[in-house]
Amino acid sequence: MNDWPEGWSDSSRGGGYGHGGASAQPEGARVMRQVRRGPSGAPPRGGVPPQPTYDNGYGDGYGTPEPYDSGYNTGQVYSGSGRGGSGFVPNDNDPDPEMQRYRPRPNYRRRVKWTAITVVTVLVAWGVGTYFWADSKLNRDVDLSKVIDRPATGEGTNYLIVGSDSRAGLSDEQKKELHTGSAEGKRTDSMMILHTGSNGPTLVSLPRDSNVTIPTYKGSESGKTFPGTGRQTKLNAAYAEDGPTLLVRTVEANTGLHIDHYVEIGFAGFANIVDAVGGVEIDIPKGGMKDTKSGADFKAGKQTLNGDQALAFVRTRYALAGSDLDRTKNQQKFLSALASQTATPSTILNPFKLYPTMSAGLGTLIVDKDMSLWDLGDMFWAMKGVTGGDGKSMNMPISGNSPNGNLQWNTTKVKQLVSELKDDEKVTVSGN
């Protein structure tokens, strides 16, 4: 019985290799022909179905010749299957054997874009947070609206910078170390007018022993008006009598220059700022400096002063030939150097140095109610400009001593100086 489909026989199966055929060898170059099945899956009736064509014995089984593939990968990326198109490179970790040769090409432009967005976002958040933190630390205790009969404002901005001898925050041991003494209350140890404008900054020191007339003023606490009587006294006495507002009123009345902002710092705050920036380098003039009252004991030459030493340096007067006039020059020199060292990338871009410096400075500054951080920044950059040679520093012009022994201003030169500052012109007046 023949179990093969109709029209098929053993002889139709070829040489009969393995079934008693005459041929002792298998077919070498022949490939098993595929049987095209019908809809039911059975081979068609009527004999051998049409055979596909072959190319040297190789093909895809459907009559379409294909070139021989040796299996060697030339590295070319092919498309057409949806897997090997452009944008893919070899990837040995893909579980699909065919896809093991491909992975998505990195989108570097996208990475750069999102990295830039992240960095900018972090910097903006850090800057905004720092601004509000610093702004909250300012002590805006001085109300300049209480100052009466003020001169008209001019061009540029005028800051009255005051160093007080306040011992607030100092222990008895610190007072001894800093040679501050233990006097009650506080007085002005230094006073300066800093003008900023289009012609560079100008820093003018006002000697504490300057002879001034106390004008009519309104008490800062009582609100009572005290008429002027022509009383003449030292400039620092105005501060001791009724604080910052009377000092501003007295400076404005005796110069005719409008003061826009007030900045004050005490002994402790000054020393803390210097320590926070790691000390300030100062060039001590030939002969050195030694003053038992201030505690100064410095050899000549460049050296870095810490907070205690810096305070002794700016307070020394008795060891100087020009006494208070020479001391004001040293104060200008040091404050400008401090501002120059503070406003540097090594401080501003280093949070471990920036925040302690800002905390030490802002927490001990006393400013007017209208002072902003931008104004404070303008003041420090202007101080740095004085050191860098972009501005000018000088003492208020002095003509000699008044009958009461105080320092008398040169009224002619002072008038010219104030006029140039009001009009924001280049200062041509020289001081002492």
Side-chain angles (χ1 to χ4, degrees):
M1 180 177 179
N2 188 352
D3 293 331
W4 290 91
E6 185 177 351
W8 287 50
S9 66
D10 289 346
S11 61
S12 302
R13 297 164 54 193
Y17 172 73
H19 294 275
S23 175
Q25 299 297 329
E27 296 179 325
R30 302 178 66 182
V31 178
M32 185 176 185
R33 294 180 173 86
Q34 298 182 11
V35 179
R36 181 173 298 175
R37 297 179 181 272
S40 62
R45 295 177 180 272
V48 179
Q51 300 301 304
T53 60
Y54 297 90
D55 183 9
N56 296 328
Y58 296 91
D60 61 1
Y62 293 95
T64 304
E66 267 190 1
Y68 171 71
D69 183 2
S70 67
Y72 176 72
N73 185 1
T74 63
Q76 180 178 359
V77 179
Y78 296 92
S79 62
S81 66
R83 296 181 177 184
S86 62
F88 289 84
V89 294
N91 176 19
D92 295 333
N93 298 321
D94 196 296
D96 187 332
E98 184 177 343
M99 287 298 292
Q100 286 180 2
R101 299 171 60 190
Y102 306 100
R103 66 175 173 81
R105 189 185 305 278
N107 191 334
Y108 293 108
R109 186 175 299 177
R110 182 181 179 86
R111 291 182 181 181
V112 170
K113 172 185 174 182
W114 282 107
T115 299
I117 291 176
T118 301
V119 171
V120 170
T121 301
V122 170
L123 289 177
V124 169
W126 175 75
V128 171
T130 299
Y131 178 87
F132 284 104
W133 168 80
D135 188 74
S136 67
K137 293 185 71 66
L138 279 178
N139 299 315
R140 296 183 173 91
D141 296 337
V142 179
D143 187 359
L144 295 183
S145 66
K146 294 180 179 180
V147 181
I148 61 174
D149 300 333
R150 309 192 67 185
T153 58
E155 299 294 328
T157 304
N158 299 311
Y159 299 87
L160 180 59
I161 304 172
V162 174
S164 75
D165 63 358
S166 171
R167 280 80 174 171
L170 294 177
S171 64
D172 290 340
E173 183 178 352
Q174 289 175 316
K175 292 176 183 177
K176 183 178 180 180
E177 291 177 354
L178 298 175
H179 297 80
T180 64
S182 300
E184 296 299 327
K186 60 180 182 179
R187 284 153 294 278
T188 52
D189 210 53
S190 62
M191 292 161 283
M192 305 177 189
I193 294 175
L194 175 65
H195 174 84
T196 65
S198 58
N199 280 292
T202 300
L203 186 61
V204 183
S205 286
L206 310 176
R208 55 184 282 177
D209 293 339
S210 297
N211 189 61
V212 294
T213 301
I214 301 296
T216 299
Y217 70 96
K218 181 184 292 186
S220 58
E221 297 295 335
S222 65
K224 179 181 178 182
T225 299
F226 296 89
T229 61
R231 174 169 55 99
Q232 294 185 337
T233 185
K234 294 180 179 180
L235 180 58
N236 68 339
Y239 181 94
E241 187 172 325
D242 198 44
T245 54
L246 179 55
L247 178 61
V248 172
R249 169 74 178 121
T250 302
V251 170
E252 290 187 339
N254 283 266
T255 62
L257 186 67
H258 182 89
I259 299 299
D260 298 291
H261 293 293
Y262 177 90
V263 181
E264 177 186 328
I265 187 169
F267 283 163
F270 181 82
N272 289 340
I273 293 175
V274 174
D275 285 334
V277 298
V280 176
E281 186 179 74
I282 287 292
D283 190 0
I284 304 297
K286 185 177 180 180
M289 181 186 297
K290 188 169 184 177
D291 184 357
T292 56
K293 292 192 175 182
S294 68
D297 188 4
F298 308 117
K299 296 181 180 180
K302 289 185 178 181
Q303 50 200 283
T304 299
L305 307 185
N306 61 26
D308 296 357
Q309 295 169 328
L311 189 57
F313 176 78
V314 299
R315 295 185 62 230
T316 296
R317 63 185 301 194
Y318 296 104
L320 305 175
S323 187
D324 199 38
L325 293 177
D326 283 349
R327 183 174 76 155
T328 56
K329 294 177 182 178
N330 283 341
Q331 291 170 346
Q332 290 177 349
K333 179 180 179 181
F334 188 88
L335 289 178
S336 296
L338 174 61
S340 181
Q341 186 162 324
T342 303
T344 58
S346 63
T347 298
I348 296 175
L349 299 180
N350 182 356
F352 298 102
K353 198 171 184 179
L354 174 64
Y355 284 99
T357 301
M358 293 180 67
S359 182
L362 297 175
T364 54
L365 288 179
I366 298 175
V367 300
D368 65 272
K369 294 185 179 298
D370 295 326
M371 173 74 82
S372 69
L373 286 179
W374 298 113
D375 296 322
L376 199 60
D378 174 65
M379 184 191 79
F380 273 102
W381 281 106
M383 294 283 288
K384 181 180 179 180
V386 172
T387 303
D390 296 331
K392 180 175 184 177
S393 61
M394 58 181 289
N395 277 328
M396 185 65 82
I398 303 294
S399 60
N401 292 330
S402 62
N404 59 9
N406 300 330
L407 296 175
Q408 186 66 49
W409 292 350
N410 185 317
T411 55
T412 301
K413 287 188 175 183
V414 170
K415 185 176 180 180
Q416 181 182 349
L417 172 63
V418 170
S419 176
E420 291 173 340
L421 294 178
K422 273 188 173 182
D423 296 335
D424 196 23
E425 298 174 347
K426 186 176 180 63
V427 173
T428 60
V429 179
S430 61
N432 296 76

